[in-house]
Each structure stands twice: as structure tokens, then as C-alpha cells.
Amino acid sequence: LGVAIWGILLTAVFEVLGLLIANHNLNILHAANADYWHAVGIVALVIVLTLEAMMLMATAVTVLSRSMAFGLSAGLAWFFIDNLAGTIFFFIAYDLTKSDGWLLATGDMLSPNLNALANLLLPTSAQAAVVKFVSTPLTPVTTAHAFLVLAIYAVIFVAVSIALIIRRDVKE
């Protein structure tokens, strides 16, 4: 969490420096109203939640595999597979079988719910700024549902990490 906050603060400092260098003043910041800063805060919250989910998953896989390289690689691959391959697979399966169960299953995937979270939290006027090429669940989800899915995955990742550390068979 500290690294995520530090990264956001560092990004903000360099953005302000970039504005200062490009415009020779910071007058452009006067155009940013309360709605803009509210939307920035929501997007920052979603970024922090995504980073934390990725770190918890990488920790669980690292503890499971006993390899930090494998854990980090699996953490990165998870979100790629969950976003692209998983959603594409479920869409093709729905197209072939015409069973709504395939579309409903995407509502329980972590990455598409994280991708949908910003649009669910932002007001309609600010949603156009959110990247549209990332996958979202193929079934409508609510904000509460997206947070519930995130919480369930987080609890599972933490439980796996703690259980495996407690039950570790290596005694040095």
C-alpha cells in the first residue's frame, strides 16, 4: 500500500513539473474543478485496489510455489489470462452453446470486475475517460458485486498465504 501511495505521489509531482515546464505556469490547474478531483480520486482508488489484488495474488502463488520469480510471473500472467483469454473463452463458449451460464461466469472473474470498477464508481460524465479496450464482465455487475468479488479473492489469497506459511514443512 505504501509503494502504491508513493507511486501516486511521485506521479503527481512529475505531472506538475511537466505542466510547469510545458506551460511555464500552473494556471491550467485552475480549470480542474471538484468533479475532476473526485474522478481522479476514484481512479487512484481503483489503481490501488488493483495493485493490492495483484500483490496478494503474487504473494499467495509465491508461498505456494516457494519461488518469488514464479509468483510474480504468475501474478502478471493471471491478469492477462483473466482479462483476455478468459473472457474470450467464455464469449466463444456462450456463442457455441447459447447458455447464459458462460456469460454469468465472467461476473465472478477478478480482472474484469476490477476493470469495471472505475466505470461503476465514476459519474457518467467522467466515464468516457476510462480505457474501453480492457475486458469487463459479459454480464451486468453492480458496484457492490465488484467489491464483493474483490474481497472474496483477497480473502482467498491471504488465507492461502497464511495457511501455507503456518503449515510449512521446512524447519531451519
Side-chain angles (χ1 to χ4, degrees), residues 7-76:
I8 289 171
L9 289 175
L10 210 57
T11 301
V13 166
F14 283 113
E15 287 291 330
V16 168
L17 283 174
L19 287 173
L20 191 58
I21 291 169
N23 299 322
H24 306 293
N25 61 41
L26 296 176
N27 291 341
I28 196 167
L29 291 177
H30 294 292
N33 58 15
D35 292 336
Y36 171 79
W37 291 113
H38 178 68
V40 167
I42 288 172
V43 171
L45 171 69
V46 172
I47 289 170
V48 168
L49 289 173
T50 303
L51 286 172
E52 295 307 314
M54 187 173 174
M55 284 189 258
L56 288 174
M57 202 283 257
T59 301
V61 175
T62 298
V63 171
L64 182 65
S65 68
R66 298 182 185 188
S67 168
M68 185 178 289
F70 184 76
L72 292 176
S73 300
L76 291 171

Side-chain angles (χ1 to χ4, degrees), residues 92-153:
I92 291 171
Y94 165 75
D95 202 37
L96 291 173
T97 64
K98 303 297 184 214
S99 172
D100 289 340
W102 297 106
L103 299 181
L104 293 174
T106 63
D108 296 331
M109 296 167 66
L110 177 61
S111 301
N113 276 287
L114 286 172
N115 295 339
L117 200 53
N119 269 346
L120 293 170
L121 293 172
L122 286 172
T124 308
S125 60
Q127 289 179 0
V130 176
V131 179
K132 297 290 186 189
F133 68 85
V134 294
S135 69
T136 56
L138 299 174
T139 186
V141 295
T142 64
T143 307
H145 176 84
F147 276 119
L148 180 64
V149 168
L150 174 61
I152 289 170
Y153 274 90

Side-chain angles (χ1 to χ4, degrees), residues 66-89:
R66 298 182 185 188
S67 168
M68 185 178 289
F70 184 76
L72 292 176
S73 300
L76 291 171
W78 171 287
F79 288 95
F80 171 74
I81 292 168
D82 212 21
N83 270 316
L84 296 176
T87 307
I88 291 170
F89 168 78

